Amino acid sequence: QVQLVESGGGLVQAGGSLRLSCAASGRTFSTYAMDWVRQAPGKEREFVAAINWSGGSTYYADSVKDRFTISRDNGKNTVYLQMNSLKPEDTAVYYCAAALRLGAPYAYWGQGTQVTVSS
């Protein structure tokens, strides 16, 4: 069993930066691939970024490539999302999710953290 808790969201002006964290409980965190997914008001959930169990492979949605960076620290059971050059269209609730491997169905979700980017 893995429990995920996101933090680091908030209100930021366009062009600013935020770093989201997702802290995981459980000794098996390091075996899971981790994703960040977001949901804007009135829209479906959207993939943002993914990282494999070791951190050696990362993937990004085209909309965030070159602006966002996903990373993980297995010693701290934490995955991060560094978000730079934020745009109003990045406004959403951001969730972290765990999967047994990249591309597999999500096994666990966090509760989400709100990111609001003002223009």
Side-chain angles (χ1 to χ4, degrees):
Q1 188 82 349
V2 175
Q3 291 184 320
L4 305 173
V5 179
E6 300 96 335
S7 62
L11 174 64
V12 64
Q13 288 188 333
S17 298
L18 282 175
R19 187 175 83 154
L20 305 183
S21 299
C22 173
S25 65
R27 294 175 294 175
T28 59
F29 169 77
S30 62
T31 65
Y32 286 87
M34 297 296 299
D35 286 21
W36 286 96
V37 177
R38 67 187 181 187
Q39 186 167 23
K43 296 187 177 181
E44 295 187 353
R45 284 186 178 180
E46 172 192 25
F47 167 79
V48 175
I51 189 166
N52 75 331
W53 68 273
S54 68
S57 296
T58 57
Y59 300 90
Y60 299 92
D62 287 343
S63 59
V64 307
K65 203 171 293 183
D66 299 326
R67 299 189 298 123
F68 290 11
T69 301
I70 189 171
S71 62
R72 68 190 297 162
D73 185 337
N74 287 340
K76 295 182 178 180
N77 277 14
T78 303
V79 63
Y80 304 98
L81 186 68
Q82 177 67 44
M83 305 186 294
N84 299 328
S85 302
L86 282 160
K87 304 175 181 179
E89 51 264 43
D90 294 318
T91 294
V93 177
Y94 284 71
Y95 301 89
C96 62
L100 290 176
R101 60 188 180 280
L102 288 171
Y106 297 128
Y108 304 102
W109 288 88
Q111 84 291 347
T113 185
Q114 175 71 47
V115 172
T116 303
V117 184
S118 63
S119 57

PDB file of all heavy atoms in Angstrom, residues 79-117:
ATOM      1  N   VAL A  79       8.681  12.494  -4.946  1.00  0.00           N
ATOM      2  CA  VAL A  79       8.820  12.881  -6.348  1.00  0.00           C
ATOM      3  C   VAL A  79       8.488  14.363  -6.457  1.00  0.00           C
ATOM      4  O   VAL A  79       7.645  14.878  -5.700  1.00  0.00           O
ATOM      5  CB  VAL A  79       7.910  12.015  -7.253  1.00  0.00           C
ATOM      6  CG1 VAL A  79       6.435  12.214  -6.927  1.00  0.00           C
ATOM      7  CG2 VAL A  79       8.180  12.304  -8.724  1.00  0.00           C
ATOM      8  N   TYR A  80       9.173  15.035  -7.354  1.00  0.00           N
ATOM      9  CA  TYR A  80       9.043  16.483  -7.485  1.00  0.00           C
ATOM     10  C   TYR A  80       8.598  16.862  -8.895  1.00  0.00           C
ATOM     11  O   TYR A  80       8.830  16.127  -9.860  1.00  0.00           O
ATOM     12  CB  TYR A  80      10.384  17.164  -7.204  1.00  0.00           C
ATOM     13  CG  TYR A  80      10.974  16.824  -5.871  1.00  0.00           C
ATOM     14  CD1 TYR A  80      11.943  15.843  -5.746  1.00  0.00           C
ATOM     15  CD2 TYR A  80      10.564  17.502  -4.715  1.00  0.00           C
ATOM     16  CE1 TYR A  80      12.499  15.515  -4.527  1.00  0.00           C
ATOM     17  CE2 TYR A  80      11.116  17.186  -3.479  1.00  0.00           C
ATOM     18  CZ  TYR A  80      12.077  16.193  -3.394  1.00  0.00           C
ATOM     19  OH  TYR A  80      12.612  15.882  -2.167  1.00  0.00           O
ATOM     20  N   LEU A  81       7.995  18.041  -8.995  1.00  0.00           N
ATOM     21  CA  LEU A  81       7.724  18.638 -10.301  1.00  0.00           C
ATOM     22  C   LEU A  81       8.126  20.108 -10.213  1.00  0.00           C
ATOM     23  O   LEU A  81       7.449  20.899  -9.545  1.00  0.00           O
ATOM     24  CB  LEU A  81       6.252  18.512 -10.688  1.00  0.00           C
ATOM     25  CG  LEU A  81       5.926  18.996 -12.105  1.00  0.00           C
ATOM     26  CD1 LEU A  81       6.552  18.066 -13.147  1.00  0.00           C
ATOM     27  CD2 LEU A  81       4.406  19.076 -12.322  1.00  0.00           C
ATOM     28  N   GLN A  82       9.238  20.425 -10.842  1.00  0.00           N
ATOM     29  CA  GLN A  82       9.685  21.809 -10.926  1.00  0.00           C
ATOM     30  C   GLN A  82       9.003  22.446 -12.131  1.00  0.00           C
ATOM     31  O   GLN A  82       9.163  21.968 -13.257  1.00  0.00           O
ATOM     32  CB  GLN A  82      11.200  21.881 -11.068  1.00  0.00           C
ATOM     33  CG  GLN A  82      11.739  23.280 -11.239  1.00  0.00           C
ATOM     34  CD  GLN A  82      11.558  24.133  -9.992  1.00  0.00           C
ATOM     35  OE1 GLN A  82      11.810  23.666  -8.875  1.00  0.00           O
ATOM     36  NE2 GLN A  82      11.141  25.386 -10.163  1.00  0.00           N
ATOM     37  N   MET A  83       8.277  23.527 -11.882  1.00  0.00           N
ATOM     38  CA  MET A  83       7.509  24.181 -12.937  1.00  0.00           C
ATOM     39  C   MET A  83       8.029  25.600 -13.116  1.00  0.00           C
ATOM     40  O   MET A  83       7.947  26.412 -12.185  1.00  0.00           O
ATOM     41  CB  MET A  83       6.017  24.195 -12.582  1.00  0.00           C
ATOM     42  CG  MET A  83       5.449  22.818 -12.274  1.00  0.00           C
ATOM     43  SD  MET A  83       3.672  22.835 -12.025  1.00  0.00           S
ATOM     44  CE  MET A  83       3.555  23.810 -10.533  1.00  0.00           C
ATOM     45  N   ASN A  84       8.566  25.880 -14.276  1.00  0.00           N
ATOM     46  CA  ASN A  84       9.095  27.202 -14.607  1.00  0.00           C
ATOM     47  C   ASN A  84       8.293  27.817 -15.747  1.00  0.00           C
ATOM     48  O   ASN A  84       7.565  27.126 -16.456  1.00  0.00           O
ATOM     49  CB  ASN A  84      10.561  27.097 -15.010  1.00  0.00           C
ATOM     50  CG  ASN A  84      11.436  26.548 -13.910  1.00  0.00           C
ATOM     51  OD1 ASN A  84      11.175  26.771 -12.719  1.00  0.00           O
ATOM     52  ND2 ASN A  84      12.488  25.846 -14.283  1.00  0.00           N
ATOM     53  N   SER A  85       8.447  29.117 -15.903  1.00  0.00           N
ATOM     54  CA  SER A  85       7.763  29.838 -16.988  1.00  0.00           C
ATOM     55  C   SER A  85       6.277  29.502 -17.021  1.00  0.00           C
ATOM     56  O   SER A  85       5.714  29.184 -18.076  1.00  0.00           O
ATOM     57  CB  SER A  85       8.422  29.507 -18.332  1.00  0.00           C
ATOM     58  OG  SER A  85       9.791  29.831 -18.322  1.00  0.00           O
ATOM     59  N   LEU A  86       5.652  29.558 -15.872  1.00  0.00           N
ATOM     60  CA  LEU A  86       4.258  29.158 -15.777  1.00  0.00           C
ATOM     61  C   LEU A  86       3.343  30.076 -16.583  1.00  0.00           C
ATOM     62  O   LEU A  86       3.577  31.290 -16.694  1.00  0.00           O
ATOM     63  CB  LEU A  86       3.819  29.126 -14.315  1.00  0.00           C
ATOM     64  CG  LEU A  86       4.297  27.890 -13.547  1.00  0.00           C
ATOM     65  CD1 LEU A  86       4.274  28.127 -12.059  1.00  0.00           C
ATOM     66  CD2 LEU A  86       3.465  26.679 -13.923  1.00  0.00           C
ATOM     67  N   LYS A  87       2.292  29.471 -17.124  1.00  0.00           N
ATOM     68  CA  LYS A  87       1.312  30.169 -17.946  1.00  0.00           C
ATOM     69  C   LYS A  87      -0.067  30.035 -17.310  1.00  0.00           C
ATOM     70  O   LYS A  87      -0.320  29.047 -16.584  1.00  0.00           O
ATOM     71  CB  LYS A  87       1.278  29.561 -19.348  1.00  0.00           C
ATOM     72  CG  LYS A  87       2.614  29.529 -20.057  1.00  0.00           C
ATOM     73  CD  LYS A  87       2.494  28.800 -21.391  1.00  0.00           C
ATOM     74  CE  LYS A  87       3.832  28.743 -22.107  1.00  0.00           C
ATOM     75  NZ  LYS A  87       3.724  28.020 -23.405  1.00  0.00           N
ATOM     76  N   PRO A  88      -0.968  30.947 -17.577  1.00  0.00           N
ATOM     77  CA  PRO A  88      -2.327  30.806 -17.030  1.00  0.00           C
ATOM     78  C   PRO A  88      -2.968  29.468 -17.384  1.00  0.00           C
ATOM     79  O   PRO A  88      -3.732  28.924 -16.567  1.00  0.00           O
ATOM     80  CB  PRO A  88      -3.077  31.978 -17.675  1.00  0.00           C
ATOM     81  CG  PRO A  88      -2.032  33.010 -17.892  1.00  0.00           C
ATOM     82  CD  PRO A  88      -0.791  32.237 -18.269  1.00  0.00           C
ATOM     83  N   GLU A  89      -2.655  28.916 -18.529  1.00  0.00           N
ATOM     84  CA  GLU A  89      -3.245  27.634 -18.919  1.00  0.00           C
ATOM     85  C   GLU A  89      -2.680  26.457 -18.128  1.00  0.00           C
ATOM     86  O   GLU A  89      -3.154  25.326 -18.279  1.00  0.00           O
ATOM     87  CB  GLU A  89      -3.073  27.389 -20.422  1.00  0.00           C
ATOM     88  CG  GLU A  89      -1.669  27.558 -20.952  1.00  0.00           C
ATOM     89  CD  GLU A  89      -1.429  28.930 -21.551  1.00  0.00           C
ATOM     90  OE1 GLU A  89      -1.859  29.941 -20.954  1.00  0.00           O
ATOM     91  OE2 GLU A  89      -0.774  28.984 -22.628  1.00  0.00           O
ATOM     92  N   ASP A  90      -1.676  26.695 -17.294  1.00  0.00           N
ATOM     93  CA  ASP A  90      -1.185  25.647 -16.396  1.00  0.00           C
ATOM     94  C   ASP A  90      -2.033  25.550 -15.126  1.00  0.00           C
ATOM     95  O   ASP A  90      -1.820  24.654 -14.308  1.00  0.00           O
ATOM     96  CB  ASP A  90       0.261  25.912 -15.995  1.00  0.00           C
ATOM     97  CG  ASP A  90       1.222  25.823 -17.166  1.00  0.00           C
ATOM     98  OD1 ASP A  90       1.066  24.901 -17.995  1.00  0.00           O
ATOM     99  OD2 ASP A  90       2.129  26.674 -17.249  1.00  0.00           O
ATOM    100  N   THR A  91      -2.967  26.468 -14.956  1.00  0.00           N
ATOM    101  CA  THR A  91      -3.842  26.440 -13.790  1.00  0.00           C
ATOM    102  C   THR A  91      -4.641  25.142 -13.748  1.00  0.00           C
ATOM    103  O   THR A  91      -5.321  24.785 -14.718  1.00  0.00           O
ATOM    104  CB  THR A  91      -4.804  27.640 -13.811  1.00  0.00           C
ATOM    105  OG1 THR A  91      -4.047  28.848 -13.666  1.00  0.00           O
ATOM    106  CG2 THR A  91      -5.822  27.550 -12.680  1.00  0.00           C
ATOM    107  N   ALA A  92      -4.534  24.433 -12.634  1.00  0.00           N
ATOM    108  CA  ALA A  92      -5.189  23.133 -12.508  1.00  0.00           C
ATOM    109  C   ALA A  92      -4.925  22.576 -11.112  1.00  0.00           C
ATOM    110  O   ALA A  92      -4.091  23.103 -10.376  1.00  0.00           O
ATOM    111  CB  ALA A  92      -4.664  22.152 -13.557  1.00  0.00           C
ATOM    112  N   VAL A  93      -5.622  21.517 -10.791  1.00  0.00           N
ATOM    113  CA  VAL A  93      -5.254  20.695  -9.641  1.00  0.00           C
ATOM    114  C   VAL A  93      -4.256  19.657 -10.149  1.00  0.00           C
ATOM    115  O   VAL A  93      -4.519  18.964 -11.135  1.00  0.00           O
ATOM    116  CB  VAL A  93      -6.472  20.012  -9.004  1.00  0.00           C
ATOM    117  CG1 VAL A  93      -6.038  19.117  -7.854  1.00  0.00           C
ATOM    118  CG2 VAL A  93      -7.475  21.054  -8.518  1.00  0.00           C
ATOM    119  N   TYR A  94      -3.132  19.578  -9.465  1.00  0.00           N
ATOM    120  CA  TYR A  94      -2.068  18.659  -9.863  1.00  0.00           C
ATOM    121  C   TYR A  94      -2.053  17.468  -8.914  1.00  0.00           C
ATOM    122  O   TYR A  94      -2.030  17.636  -7.686  1.00  0.00           O
ATOM    123  CB  TYR A  94      -0.714  19.367  -9.840  1.00  0.00           C
ATOM    124  CG  TYR A  94      -0.510  20.277 -11.022  1.00  0.00           C
ATOM    125  CD1 TYR A  94      -1.229  21.473 -11.138  1.00  0.00           C
ATOM    126  CD2 TYR A  94       0.379  19.947 -12.040  1.00  0.00           C
ATOM    127  CE1 TYR A  94      -1.062  22.303 -12.227  1.00  0.00           C
ATOM    128  CE2 TYR A  94       0.556  20.768 -13.136  1.00  0.00           C
ATOM    129  CZ  TYR A  94      -0.169  21.941 -13.229  1.00  0.00           C
ATOM    130  OH  TYR A  94       0.000  22.775 -14.318  1.00  0.00           O
ATOM    131  N   TYR A  95      -2.055  16.276  -9.513  1.00  0.00           N
ATOM    132  CA  TYR A  95      -2.056  15.030  -8.767  1.00  0.00           C
ATOM    133  C   TYR A  95      -0.787  14.242  -9.077  1.00  0.00           C
ATOM    134  O   TYR A  95      -0.327  14.220 -10.224  1.00  0.00           O
ATOM    135  CB  TYR A  95      -3.243  14.162  -9.166  1.00  0.00           C
ATOM    136  CG  TYR A  95      -4.591  14.773  -8.952  1.00  0.00           C
ATOM    137  CD1 TYR A  95      -5.197  15.550  -9.944  1.00  0.00           C
ATOM    138  CD2 TYR A  95      -5.305  14.559  -7.773  1.00  0.00           C
ATOM    139  CE1 TYR A  95      -6.449  16.108  -9.762  1.00  0.00           C
ATOM    140  CE2 TYR A  95      -6.563  15.106  -7.581  1.00  0.00           C
ATOM    141  CZ  TYR A  95      -7.122  15.881  -8.574  1.00  0.00           C
ATOM    142  OH  TYR A  95      -8.373  16.415  -8.395  1.00  0.00           O
ATOM    143  N   CYS A  96      -0.262  13.568  -8.078  1.00  0.00           N
ATOM    144  CA  CYS A  96       0.749  12.552  -8.368  1.00  0.00           C
ATOM    145  C   CYS A  96       0.077  11.188  -8.320  1.00  0.00           C
ATOM    146  O   CYS A  96      -0.931  10.992  -7.623  1.00  0.00           O
ATOM    147  CB  CYS A  96       1.922  12.616  -7.409  1.00  0.00           C
ATOM    148  SG  CYS A  96       1.546  12.314  -5.677  1.00  0.00           S
ATOM    149  N   ALA A  97       0.619  10.273  -9.086  1.00  0.00           N
ATOM    150  CA  ALA A  97       0.040   8.942  -9.194  1.00  0.00           C
ATOM    151  C   ALA A  97       1.162   7.928  -9.352  1.00  0.00           C
ATOM    152  O   ALA A  97       2.189   8.219  -9.976  1.00  0.00           O
ATOM    153  CB  ALA A  97      -0.918   8.864 -10.376  1.00  0.00           C
ATOM    154  N   ALA A  98       0.951   6.751  -8.795  1.00  0.00           N
ATOM    155  CA  ALA A  98       1.940   5.685  -8.831  1.00  0.00           C
ATOM    156  C   ALA A  98       1.450   4.535  -9.700  1.00  0.00           C
ATOM    157  O   ALA A  98       0.265   4.166  -9.639  1.00  0.00           O
ATOM    158  CB  ALA A  98       2.224   5.180  -7.419  1.00  0.00           C
ATOM    159  N   ALA A  99       2.347   3.984 -10.484  1.00  0.00           N
ATOM    160  CA  ALA A  99       2.032   2.835 -11.331  1.00  0.00           C
ATOM    161  C   ALA A  99       3.153   1.809 -11.212  1.00  0.00           C
ATOM    162  O   ALA A  99       4.296   2.167 -10.940  1.00  0.00           O
ATOM    163  CB  ALA A  99       1.865   3.274 -12.781  1.00  0.00           C
ATOM    164  N   LEU A 100       2.827   0.550 -11.461  1.00  0.00           N
ATOM    165  CA  LEU A 100       3.829  -0.499 -11.320  1.00  0.00           C
ATOM    166  C   LEU A 100       4.961  -0.330 -12.332  1.00  0.00           C
ATOM    167  O   LEU A 100       6.080  -0.781 -12.101  1.00  0.00           O
ATOM    168  CB  LEU A 100       3.167  -1.864 -11.461  1.00  0.00           C
ATOM    169  CG  LEU A 100       2.257  -2.258 -10.285  1.00  0.00           C
ATOM    170  CD1 LEU A 100       1.574  -3.585 -10.574  1.00  0.00           C
ATOM    171  CD2 LEU A 100       3.065  -2.353  -8.993  1.00  0.00           C
ATOM    172  N   ARG A 101       4.648   0.309 -13.457  1.00  0.00           N
ATOM    173  CA  ARG A 101       5.669   0.603 -14.460  1.00  0.00           C
ATOM    174  C   ARG A 101       5.140   1.740 -15.324  1.00  0.00           C
ATOM    175  O   ARG A 101       3.942   2.068 -15.283  1.00  0.00           O
ATOM    176  CB  ARG A 101       5.980  -0.617 -15.331  1.00  0.00           C
ATOM    177  CG  ARG A 101       4.782  -1.119 -16.094  1.00  0.00           C
ATOM    178  CD  ARG A 101       5.057  -2.438 -16.810  1.00  0.00           C
ATOM    179  NE  ARG A 101       3.891  -2.891 -17.545  1.00  0.00           N
ATOM    180  CZ  ARG A 101       2.859  -3.511 -17.016  1.00  0.00           C
ATOM    181  NH1 ARG A 101       2.841  -3.764 -15.728  1.00  0.00           N
ATOM    182  NH2 ARG A 101       1.842  -3.886 -17.765  1.00  0.00           N
ATOM    183  N   LEU A 102       6.026   2.350 -16.068  1.00  0.00           N
ATOM    184  CA  LEU A 102       5.604   3.420 -16.962  1.00  0.00           C
ATOM    185  C   LEU A 102       4.521   2.932 -17.917  1.00  0.00           C
ATOM    186  O   LEU A 102       4.642   1.867 -18.518  1.00  0.00           O
ATOM    187  CB  LEU A 102       6.790   3.938 -17.763  1.00  0.00           C
ATOM    188  CG  LEU A 102       7.827   4.764 -16.993  1.00  0.00           C
ATOM    189  CD1 LEU A 102       9.045   5.010 -17.862  1.00  0.00           C
ATOM    190  CD2 LEU A 102       7.232   6.064 -16.498  1.00  0.00           C
ATOM    191  N   GLY A 103       3.461   3.695 -18.012  1.00  0.00           N
ATOM    192  CA  GLY A 103       2.385   3.366 -18.928  1.00  0.00           C
ATOM    193  C   GLY A 103       1.342   2.422 -18.380  1.00  0.00           C
ATOM    194  O   GLY A 103       0.316   2.187 -19.023  1.00  0.00           O
ATOM    195  N   ALA A 104       1.582   1.877 -17.208  1.00  0.00           N
ATOM    196  CA  ALA A 104       0.615   0.965 -16.600  1.00  0.00           C
ATOM    197  C   ALA A 104      -0.508   1.757 -15.933  1.00  0.00           C
ATOM    198  O   ALA A 104      -0.345   2.944 -15.637  1.00  0.00           O
ATOM    199  CB  ALA A 104       1.311   0.072 -15.575  1.00  0.00           C
ATOM    200  N   PRO A 105      -1.640   1.129 -15.678  1.00  0.00           N
ATOM    201  CA  PRO A 105      -2.723   1.835 -14.973  1.00  0.00           C
ATOM    202  C   PRO A 105      -2.244   2.303 -13.598  1.00  0.00           C
ATOM    203  O   PRO A 105      -1.425   1.644 -12.948  1.00  0.00           O
ATOM    204  CB  PRO A 105      -3.804   0.755 -14.839  1.00  0.00           C
ATOM    205  CG  PRO A 105      -3.530  -0.188 -15.949  1.00  0.00           C
ATOM    206  CD  PRO A 105      -2.039  -0.217 -16.099  1.00  0.00           C
ATOM    207  N   TYR A 106      -2.782   3.438 -13.164  1.00  0.00           N
ATOM    208  CA  TYR A 106      -2.371   3.960 -11.877  1.00  0.00           C
ATOM    209  C   TYR A 106      -2.936   3.104 -10.748  1.00  0.00           C
ATOM    210  O   TYR A 106      -4.102   2.754 -10.731  1.00  0.00           O
ATOM    211  CB  TYR A 106      -2.842   5.409 -11.722  1.00  0.00           C
ATOM    212  CG  TYR A 106      -2.225   6.341 -12.736  1.00  0.00           C
ATOM    213  CD1 TYR A 106      -3.017   7.175 -13.514  1.00  0.00           C
ATOM    214  CD2 TYR A 106      -0.848   6.369 -12.935  1.00  0.00           C
ATOM    215  CE1 TYR A 106      -2.452   8.035 -14.452  1.00  0.00           C
ATOM    216  CE2 TYR A 106      -0.274   7.218 -13.869  1.00  0.00           C
ATOM    217  CZ  TYR A 106      -1.077   8.055 -14.620  1.00  0.00           C
ATOM    218  OH  TYR A 106      -0.523   8.894 -15.550  1.00  0.00           O
ATOM    219  N   ALA A 107      -2.059   2.804  -9.799  1.00  0.00           N
ATOM    220  CA  ALA A 107      -2.463   2.013  -8.645  1.00  0.00           C
ATOM    221  C   ALA A 107      -2.851   2.900  -7.466  1.00  0.00           C
ATOM    222  O   ALA A 107      -3.699   2.514  -6.650  1.00  0.00           O
ATOM    223  CB  ALA A 107      -1.333   1.077  -8.239  1.00  0.00           C
ATOM    224  N   TYR A 108      -2.233   4.060  -7.374  1.00  0.00           N
ATOM    225  CA  TYR A 108      -2.461   4.970  -6.249  1.00  0.00           C
ATOM    226  C   TYR A 108      -2.456   6.419  -6.740  1.00  0.00           C
ATOM    227  O   TYR A 108      -1.714   6.759  -7.666  1.00  0.00           O
ATOM    228  CB  TYR A 108      -1.382   4.798  -5.179  1.00  0.00           C
ATOM    229  CG  TYR A 108      -1.258   3.394  -4.657  1.00  0.00           C
ATOM    230  CD1 TYR A 108      -0.229   2.560  -5.092  1.00  0.00           C
ATOM    231  CD2 TYR A 108      -2.181   2.892  -3.741  1.00  0.00           C
ATOM    232  CE1 TYR A 108      -0.123   1.265  -4.631  1.00  0.00           C
ATOM    233  CE2 TYR A 108      -2.074   1.592  -3.275  1.00  0.00           C
ATOM    234  CZ  TYR A 108      -1.045   0.792  -3.724  1.00  0.00           C
ATOM    235  OH  TYR A 108      -0.958  -0.499  -3.266  1.00  0.00           O
ATOM    236  N   TRP A 109      -3.279   7.238  -6.078  1.00  0.00           N
ATOM    237  CA  TRP A 109      -3.392   8.668  -6.372  1.00  0.00           C
ATOM    238  C   TRP A 109      -3.232   9.464  -5.090  1.00  0.00           C
ATOM    239  O   TRP A 109      -3.632   9.020  -4.011  1.00  0.00           O
ATOM    240  CB  TRP A 109      -4.787   8.991  -6.925  1.00  0.00           C
ATOM    241  CG  TRP A 109      -5.065   8.528  -8.307  1.00  0.00           C
ATOM    242  CD1 TRP A 109      -5.563   7.315  -8.676  1.00  0.00           C
ATOM    243  CD2 TRP A 109      -4.898   9.283  -9.505  1.00  0.00           C
ATOM    244  NE1 TRP A 109      -5.712   7.271 -10.041  1.00  0.00           N
ATOM    245  CE2 TRP A 109      -5.314   8.460 -10.576  1.00  0.00           C
ATOM    246  CE3 TRP A 109      -4.440  10.571  -9.794  1.00  0.00           C
ATOM    247  CZ2 TRP A 109      -5.282   8.890 -11.908  1.00  0.00           C
ATOM    248  CZ3 TRP A 109      -4.420  10.990 -11.113  1.00  0.00           C
ATOM    249  CH2 TRP A 109      -4.823  10.151 -12.142  1.00  0.00           C
ATOM    250  N   GLY A 110      -2.695  10.678  -5.253  1.00  0.00           N
ATOM    251  CA  GLY A 110      -2.735  11.620  -4.153  1.00  0.00           C
ATOM    252  C   GLY A 110      -4.028  12.413  -4.178  1.00  0.00           C
ATOM    253  O   GLY A 110      -4.878  12.219  -5.059  1.00  0.00           O
ATOM    254  N   GLN A 111      -4.161  13.331  -3.243  1.00  0.00           N
ATOM    255  CA  GLN A 111      -5.403  14.106  -3.126  1.00  0.00           C
ATOM    256  C   GLN A 111      -5.385  15.363  -3.997  1.00  0.00           C
ATOM    257  O   GLN A 111      -6.421  15.994  -4.179  1.00  0.00           O
ATOM    258  CB  GLN A 111      -5.662  14.499  -1.660  1.00  0.00           C
ATOM    259  CG  GLN A 111      -4.952  15.755  -1.170  1.00  0.00           C
ATOM    260  CD  GLN A 111      -3.444  15.606  -1.051  1.00  0.00           C
ATOM    261  OE1 GLN A 111      -2.899  14.514  -1.105  1.00  0.00           O
ATOM    262  NE2 GLN A 111      -2.759  16.742  -0.874  1.00  0.00           N
ATOM    263  N   GLY A 112      -4.227  15.736  -4.486  1.00  0.00           N
ATOM    264  CA  GLY A 112      -4.105  16.879  -5.372  1.00  0.00           C
ATOM    265  C   GLY A 112      -3.697  18.157  -4.658  1.00  0.00           C
ATOM    266  O   GLY A 112      -3.937  18.325  -3.466  1.00  0.00           O
ATOM    267  N   THR A 113      -3.070  19.053  -5.419  1.00  0.00           N
ATOM    268  CA  THR A 113      -2.703  20.365  -4.911  1.00  0.00           C
ATOM    269  C   THR A 113      -3.025  21.399  -5.992  1.00  0.00           C
ATOM    270  O   THR A 113      -2.748  21.180  -7.172  1.00  0.00           O
ATOM    271  CB  THR A 113      -1.223  20.428  -4.489  1.00  0.00           C
ATOM    272  OG1 THR A 113      -0.939  21.689  -3.884  1.00  0.00           O
ATOM    273  CG2 THR A 113      -0.274  20.213  -5.656  1.00  0.00           C
ATOM    274  N   GLN A 114      -3.618  22.519  -5.588  1.00  0.00           N
ATOM    275  CA  GLN A 114      -4.082  23.514  -6.541  1.00  0.00           C
ATOM    276  C   GLN A 114      -2.934  24.425  -6.972  1.00  0.00           C
ATOM    277  O   GLN A 114      -2.196  24.951  -6.124  1.00  0.00           O
ATOM    278  CB  GLN A 114      -5.194  24.362  -5.925  1.00  0.00           C
ATOM    279  CG  GLN A 114      -5.678  25.510  -6.799  1.00  0.00           C
ATOM    280  CD  GLN A 114      -6.471  25.034  -7.989  1.00  0.00           C
ATOM    281  OE1 GLN A 114      -7.366  24.190  -7.870  1.00  0.00           O
ATOM    282  NE2 GLN A 114      -6.166  25.577  -9.175  1.00  0.00           N
ATOM    283  N   VAL A 115      -2.809  24.610  -8.261  1.00  0.00           N
ATOM    284  CA  VAL A 115      -1.869  25.580  -8.837  1.00  0.00           C
ATOM    285  C   VAL A 115      -2.690  26.592  -9.624  1.00  0.00           C
ATOM    286  O   VAL A 115      -3.459  26.213 -10.520  1.00  0.00           O
ATOM    287  CB  VAL A 115      -0.837  24.897  -9.739  1.00  0.00           C
ATOM    288  CG1 VAL A 115      -0.008  25.942 -10.486  1.00  0.00           C
ATOM    289  CG2 VAL A 115       0.060  23.977  -8.929  1.00  0.00           C
ATOM    290  N   THR A 116      -2.535  27.862  -9.300  1.00  0.00           N
ATOM    291  CA  THR A 116      -3.231  28.925 -10.003  1.00  0.00           C
ATOM    292  C   THR A 116      -2.212  29.935 -10.523  1.00  0.00           C
ATOM    293  O   THR A 116      -1.399  30.446  -9.755  1.00  0.00           O
ATOM    294  CB  THR A 116      -4.233  29.640  -9.085  1.00  0.00           C
ATOM    295  OG1 THR A 116      -5.156  28.670  -8.551  1.00  0.00           O
ATOM    296  CG2 THR A 116      -5.008  30.702  -9.843  1.00  0.00           C
ATOM    297  N   VAL A 117      -2.259  30.167 -11.828  1.00  0.00           N
ATOM    298  CA  VAL A 117      -1.330  31.090 -12.472  1.00  0.00           C
ATOM    299  C   VAL A 117      -2.128  32.294 -12.961  1.00  0.00           C
ATOM    300  O   VAL A 117      -3.018  32.146 -13.811  1.00  0.00           O
ATOM    301  CB  VAL A 117      -0.583  30.422 -13.631  1.00  0.00           C
ATOM    302  CG1 VAL A 117       0.454  31.383 -14.212  1.00  0.00           C
ATOM    303  CG2 VAL A 117       0.084  29.138 -13.171  1.00  0.00           C
TER     304      VAL A 117
END
